Amino acid sequence: MIIAVFIISYLYALLHLGVGLIQLRQRQVPARTAVLFIAGALSIALTSFFWGHTLTAAVLLSFGFILIQSGAIMNGIHLHGKVTASHQLVRLALFAVLLVIFLLFS
């Protein structure tokens, strides 16, 4: 089960890394938003180096998701002038489920 959490987290991180790099290149949003996506994705990717350290991995995973969430909020405000609550709730629910499963099975 823990491997599934890492795979889903890495896919999530990989997608946001790609989005961050594309946004940084195209300059459609402020650079800080793209940097938050990139930093969050790298933080999630670092969790594999702390496989045996549950607390450190959980902190990195949480920090990465918070950075990506912050970037998504800033992105929504910049592109649409508002935050889409349903979009943010889905992101938050995914994070909560992955973190709980990670903590239960590690």
Side-chain angles (χ1 to χ4, degrees):
M1 190 63 138
I2 195 74
I3 293 174
V5 170
F6 277 114
I7 290 171
I8 293 169
S9 297
Y10 290 146
L11 289 174
Y12 188 78
L14 184 64
L15 289 172
H16 282 87
L17 179 65
V19 166
L21 291 173
I22 289 169
Q23 286 181 346
L24 200 57
R25 176 193 256 183
Q26 293 181 350
R27 301 175 192 242
Q28 295 175 342
V29 296
R32 66 181 179 266
T33 302
V35 169
L36 283 174
F37 281 151
I38 293 168
L42 293 176
S43 177
I44 291 171
L46 283 175
T47 59
S48 64
F49 294 111
F50 299 98
W51 185 274
H53 304 283
T54 304
L55 181 61
T56 306
V59 167
L60 282 172
L61 195 63
S62 299
F63 185 67
F65 275 106
I66 289 169
L67 287 176
I68 290 173
Q69 185 78 8
S70 300
I73 290 169
M74 291 170 58
N75 214 0
I77 291 171
H78 178 75
L79 294 174
H80 306 293
K82 63 178 181 163
V83 176
T84 308
S86 60
H87 185 199
Q88 301 310 319
L89 288 174
V90 168
R91 287 175 177 271
L92 186 62
L94 174 68
F95 163 63
V97 167
L98 288 175
L99 186 63
V100 166
I101 292 171
F102 174 75
L103 291 174
L104 286 176
F105 289 98
S106 61

